[in-house]
Amino acid sequence: MNSPAPHVGRVAAVLFDRDGTLVEDVPYNGDPARVRPLPGARRALDLLRAAGIPTGVVSNQSGIGRGLLTDTDVRRVNDRANTLLGGLDTWLYCPHPPEAGCGCRKPRPGLVIEAARRLGVPPADCVVIGDIAADVQAARAAGARGVLVPNAATLPGEVETAPSTAPDLLTAVRRLLTGTRGGGS
């Protein structure tokens, strides 16, 4: 069941998944030239910046642990995305493959907790926006709130079980800023 979006006074920070949420999902992308912001992403971030709400990225980047990318590759892609999106306040990623069992890989809470710490806000006052269940599960595990913005990679069951959904990123952010109810996909 979807729950109401939090009141703007209670949103201390908004954290985003990177691939499929802020930028086009290019599997194991190590090339900054292939970074393309998704429609509405820059505008959504501009609205949050105008409201004085800190932003960050929490992203699984298992290509590093699989030997397909380097830390430098991911940092270069993140830097390009950061430039195109107008700048976010913190960028964190998990370099481990799923089988590593680390605490930072979503759906575990490590990235969300660390991003909140870096931004100086309690995790409970953060909202995590992503495109798959692991994003909203990481939010829940950290005590934050999650919003699912489905795309072609999102499974129907993930939409059905999401605590809150929005049809696109800009709508998700506008709902957070106005405190309106998040509907189904």
Side-chain angles (χ1 to χ4, degrees):
M1 175 158 182
N2 292 321
S3 60
H7 183 273
V8 69
R10 300 224 25 210
V11 178
V14 179
L15 308 174
F16 298 90
D17 174 55
R18 188 187 82 179
D19 303 317
T21 301
L22 289 175
V23 299
E24 289 179 7
D25 188 359
V26 177
Y28 307 115
N29 184 20
D31 181 0
R34 296 182 72 194
V35 174
R36 302 278 182 276
L38 287 172
R42 174 66 186 251
R43 178 73 181 125
L45 290 163
D46 287 344
L47 290 173
L48 290 168
R49 283 189 281 271
I53 297 174
T55 57
V57 171
V58 290
S59 178
N60 288 343
Q61 294 296 321
S62 68
I64 297 169
R66 297 171 196 245
L68 303 171
L69 297 167
T70 65
D71 278 311
T72 300
D73 293 334
V74 171
R75 281 192 222 110
R76 288 176 50 233
V77 166
N78 287 350
D79 288 346
R80 178 68 178 149
N82 199 44
T83 298
L84 293 172
L85 294 168
L88 286 91
D89 298 300
T90 192
W91 287 75
L92 290 106
Y93 59 90
C94 171
H96 307 110
E99 60 275 10
C102 68
C104 61
R105 183 176 175 78
K106 296 179 292 181
R108 293 196 170 115
L111 290 175
V112 175
I113 291 169
E114 178 59 16
R117 186 194 69 75
R118 289 187 185 188
L119 295 171
V121 301
D125 292 342
C126 293
V127 175
V128 179
I129 300 176
D131 64 324
I132 61 172
D135 300 316
V136 294
Q137 290 167 354
R140 185 178 314 122
R145 289 159 285 176
V147 177
L148 186 72
V149 177
N151 61 29
T154 312
L155 301 174
E158 293 175 325
V159 176
E160 293 166 11
T161 61
S164 182
T165 64
D168 57 65
L169 188 59
L170 189 53
T171 300
V173 167
R174 284 182 172 147
R175 286 178 180 167
L176 289 174
L177 292 172
T178 62
T180 59
R181 182 170 179 78
S185 66

